[in-house]
Amino acid sequence: MLETSARLLKLLSLLQAHKDWSGPELADRLGVSTRTVRNDMERLRSLGYPVHATPGVAGGYRLGAGAALPPLLLDDEEAVAVAVGLGRAAGGGVAGIEESSVRALAKLEQVLPVKLRRRVSALNAYTVQIPGTAPSVPPEVLTTIANAARDHERLRFDYTGHDGSVTTRDAEPYRLVHRRGRWYLVAWDVERRDWRTFRVDRISPRTPGGPRFAPRELPFDVAEHVERGVNTAMWRYRARVLLHAPAERMRGLPTGMDFEPVDEHTCVAHVGGDDLNGIAVWIGALGVDFEVLDPPELAEVVRGLSERYRRAVSDR
């Protein structure tokens, strides 16, 4: 009886870790026959786990969604990761999820072993979270995108641009990226035949989704790709500024900007933003001399800002 129970727990862990399993694969992992696997599946169903089976050569087993949430199996590291994630989610970022995160965290901490509870408590006690001002995203939008990426299914959605115009997109979703309070989707745009980065708070998924697709190999580092896109094309304004400092020196600063070397003494910074005044202040905070290359409107803002600063100290 103990051997059977242990095997069921192992089987359940395998089903939760991978979407589809064939009978022979599970039998090999568990060291039993395929007949025993079928019997164990029936035992899991009797316990309330919605295990779906597909007959045939390409068939197999999958843990589906049921009428009620069955217990989940988490190892120590997974439990700590979930607890920490719930603590961060309670601080905002996803619309309407704060209260649910607090309730779920309370339930999890109640059953955590003492050693794990201490790890989570220490991390939360010595971590300061600064709330962001970025638009929150409905959790169902995030899960829709994540599921489409996991299942390699095209995502159809309406996308609102900077100017308020709405276009319909057909894309192959690959990764969700969370950066400084905002969510971004990295996807292959089917119509434009190129990689694109979309702000998730501007995405309105359409149903049903599109057909399945064969995954492409990502030709870049996702984090760097999003960082470059956010600093330029994702914003209403895009600027080029000549900095009187070497690119290597500027890359050592936590700016998130993209610096293009010109020579050993200067470089060009590519920066974007929704507000020209904010761009001007940000560039001035770099602490180096600079020249605005474009757009001309930024040069006017910098000129006006310099006059305002001069007047602030002219009588002192």
Side-chain angles (χ1 to χ4, degrees), residues 19-20 62 147-156 170-174 190 209-216:
K19 184 178 179 182
D20 294 294
R62 172 186 299 188
N147 289 338
R150 180 198 63 191
D151 299 338
H152 304 143
E153 293 178 350
R154 283 189 187 178
L155 187 69
R156 298 177 64 248
D170 188 0
E172 300 173 359
Y174 278 81
V190 176
R212 293 177 65 89
F213 62 87
R216 304 170 189 270

Side-chain angles (χ1 to χ4, degrees), residues 66-88:
L69 179 67
L72 298 175
L73 290 179
L74 300 174
D75 61 28
D76 286 0
E77 297 304 319
E78 290 171 341
V80 171
V82 170
V84 172
L86 288 170
R88 298 295 172 268

Side-chain angles (χ1 to χ4, degrees), residues 45-111:
R45 292 188 184 102
S46 68
L47 294 172
Y49 292 94
V51 179
H52 302 314
T54 304
V57 178
Y61 297 98
R62 172 186 299 188
L63 188 62
L69 179 67
L72 298 175
L73 290 179
L74 300 174
D75 61 28
D76 286 0
E77 297 304 319
E78 290 171 341
V80 171
V82 170
V84 172
L86 288 170
R88 298 295 172 268
V94 181
I97 206 173
E98 296 89 348
E99 183 181 350
S100 300
S101 299
V102 172
R103 294 201 309 269
L105 181 58
K107 292 179 181 178
L108 182 59
E109 288 185 338
Q110 184 178 4
V111 298

Side-chain angles (χ1 to χ4, degrees), residues 246-267:
E248 288 304 316
R249 171 187 166 188
M250 302 310 300
R251 287 170 180 161
L253 301 176
T255 63
M257 293 184 186
D258 186 23
F259 299 99
E260 176 187 346
V262 175
D263 53 41
E264 60 180 1
H265 302 294
T266 60
C267 64

Side-chain angles (χ1 to χ4, degrees), residues 23-222:
E25 286 175 332
L26 289 173
D28 182 65
R29 287 293 191 100
L30 298 172
V32 297
S33 66
T34 55
R35 180 178 179 180
T36 300
V37 170
R38 289 195 298 271
N39 292 335
D40 285 347
M41 290 300 179
E42 288 301 322
R43 292 188 179 98
L44 287 179
R45 292 188 184 102
S46 68
L47 294 172
Y49 292 94
V51 179
H52 302 314
T54 304
V57 178
Y61 297 98
R62 172 186 299 188
L63 188 62
L69 179 67
L72 298 175
L73 290 179
L74 300 174
D75 61 28
D76 286 0
E77 297 304 319
E78 290 171 341
V80 171
V82 170
V84 172
L86 288 170
R88 298 295 172 268
V94 181
I97 206 173
E98 296 89 348
E99 183 181 350
S100 300
S101 299
V102 172
R103 294 201 309 269
L105 181 58
K107 292 179 181 178
L108 182 59
E109 288 185 338
Q110 184 178 4
V111 298
L112 281 177
V114 174
K115 63 175 182 177
L116 298 185
R117 193 181 304 128
R118 287 175 178 171
R119 289 173 59 184
V120 174
S121 298
L123 183 57
N124 288 334
Y126 291 94
T127 301
V128 177
Q129 185 174 358
I130 300 176
T133 58
S136 57
V137 177
E140 59 269 19
V141 173
L142 290 174
T143 55
T144 296
I145 295 174
N147 289 338
R150 180 198 63 191
D151 299 338
H152 304 143
E153 293 178 350
R154 283 189 187 178
L155 187 69
R156 298 177 64 248
F157 57 91
D158 294 328
Y159 191 69
T160 304
H162 291 289
D163 58 357
S165 61
V166 178
T167 56
T168 300
R169 303 297 185 95
D170 188 0
E172 300 173 359
Y174 278 81
R175 295 291 187 275
L176 279 169
V177 179
H178 188 252
R179 176 191 181 275
R180 300 178 186 177
R182 292 186 188 272
W183 288 94
Y184 300 91
L185 167 64
V186 176
W188 175 265
D189 192 306
V190 176
E191 181 179 347
R192 292 160 179 79
R193 303 188 61 78
D194 197 6
W195 294 98
R196 291 289 189 269
T197 302
F198 303 96
R199 271 179 47 176
V200 177
D201 59 285
R202 295 176 176 171
I203 289 177
S204 298
R206 287 179 168 229
T207 55
R212 293 177 65 89
F213 62 87
R216 304 170 189 270
E217 183 177 353
L218 287 165
F220 44 70
D221 179 271
V222 173

